[in-house]
Amino acid sequence: MGIVALLLFGVYVLCMYWYIFHSGGGTIPRALQGTAADPVMFMSEKELYLSGEYSKIRNFLFFVATPLEWLVYFMILIMGVSRYFEKVATSQTKWKLLQNAGYLFLLSLLLYVVLFPLDYYRYNLSKSYGISTQGFSSWMRDGIIDFWVSFGMSFIIVSVIYWLIKKSAKRWWLYTWFLTIPFTIFVMFIQPVVIDPLYNDFYPLKNKELEAKILSLAEQANIPAEHVYEVNMAEKTNALNAYVTGIGSNSRIVLWDTTLNRLTDNEILFIMAHEMGHYVEKHIYFGIAGYLLLTLLGLWLSAKCMRWLIGRHGHVLKIKKISDIGSYPLFLLITSVLLFASNPLSNYISRYQEMRADQYAISLTGERESAVTAFQKLTISGLSEVNPQLLVKWFRYTHPPMLERIYKVAENVDEKKEEPLKEVPLKEEQKKEQQKK
């Protein structure tokens, strides 16, 4: 079974390599060529080349990395590594929680070491293309923080799940889901004030004039906001970003300092209006509801699959019963497959919400030209692919591709008042770039 799994993985990698690098696709439709959405109009030849090359490598890594994790989980099971870790953990102490902690530490450490080369390659790739500016020591520090945060979360989740399995082998998935609801809300509440500051420094926006404009915009949208925060990301990346995080009294409007340094006030206000659109249309609550529904379905399917696989192939997987913590890699394998399979649906909903937020921002600010130039700068800063291949869009893109976003914001939201704007006038620096070409 291990040999078959390796062969299937190898065939899959070859197929994805051909699809990403040689199948074509991702070209600009003729109707949009020469418009503000066409990357030729706002990116240099070098940027276009690097964007295409970088995007293909990242897309290929995405489609390879997740199945590679499945393969690792499978090998850990059939080679008896999980069972060995369980024996080591149970032999050291009689306390169940300490046994869980010991097993999870060994498993987490193994996964970290095995997947480290791929993580390092991604980091080095981002740095070589000028996206990441983060030093190796800083990157390692973030990786270690990730390890312990993930370990802490896993310890809580695993301890609860396997306690529930022992209490109710048939309905543990349902009880787990009930506990997922308060846990998810709690994590979202503490995220901005406990978890995020572990990685970066957050402080009130220094530009008080811009903060006043943002808060004025929030007031127009009837959003209760008192402060806008900025975060020091320039030491880690050249990419641009802004977001709204948290719920309740811990909700925050956050701007990366790279965004503040490279976008105009009008472009920043459009991005802020976009984030406010998510708040006004209650996308965060729809997101929580959707996540909880998918979690319910996922836990139910995981319980069914685990019971069937252990009953039929338990001897191969080295699992005697589902309540043994050594079955945890199987749980990770199944939930990861289900999560990957759900990506097209969840991403589709997310893209719809992002498009709605774009439309809201246009209606609130009326800054279509600033919206277009902001998206153009975002594309350049991240070397983003404006029109990805279909599978890439389905499985990777939580936001609409930039080709769609720029074209849509360049149109008038209220078609009754004004004809759609097909092309946004280029600024002087963009005209000079075109003359050079």
Side-chain angles (χ1 to χ4, degrees), residues 190-202 243 245 252:
I190 67 169
Q191 177 94 24
V193 294
V194 176
I195 299 176
D196 289 346
L198 294 174
Y199 299 89
N200 299 99
D201 296 325
F202 292 78
Y243 58 91
T245 184
R252 288 181 172 185

Side-chain angles (χ1 to χ4, degrees), residues 36-90:
D38 187 349
V40 173
M41 303 300 291
F42 60 89
M43 297 178 77
S44 67
E45 290 183 11
K46 182 179 179 181
E47 288 167 344
L48 284 168
Y49 173 77
L50 292 176
S51 171
E53 192 177 57
Y54 181 59
S55 297
K56 285 180 179 179
I57 297 173
R58 288 183 65 214
N59 293 336
F60 178 68
L61 288 176
F62 169 83
F63 281 103
V64 169
T66 304
L68 177 62
E69 287 186 17
W70 304 344
L71 183 64
V72 171
Y73 294 144
F74 184 65
M75 290 299 180
I76 286 174
L77 289 168
I78 65 172
M79 293 176 69
V81 176
S82 180
R83 190 173 181 179
Y84 173 74
F85 285 168
E86 183 181 4
K87 286 182 179 179
V88 170
T90 54

Side-chain angles (χ1 to χ4, degrees), residues 321-371:
K321 50 186 178 179
I322 192 174
S323 59
D324 292 338
I325 196 172
S327 67
Y328 182 56
L330 180 61
F331 177 79
L332 289 175
L333 171 60
I334 294 170
T335 53
S336 180
V337 170
L338 293 175
L339 184 63
F340 187 78
S342 70
N343 275 348
L345 175 60
S346 58
N347 288 348
Y348 174 81
I349 295 172
S350 177
R351 288 195 301 271
Y352 172 77
Q353 291 178 339
E354 295 296 334
M355 197 66 78
R356 291 281 300 177
D358 285 347
Q359 293 174 350
Y360 177 85
I362 290 293
S363 65
L364 184 63
T365 65
E367 288 286 344
R368 287 182 293 160
E369 185 176 347
S370 295

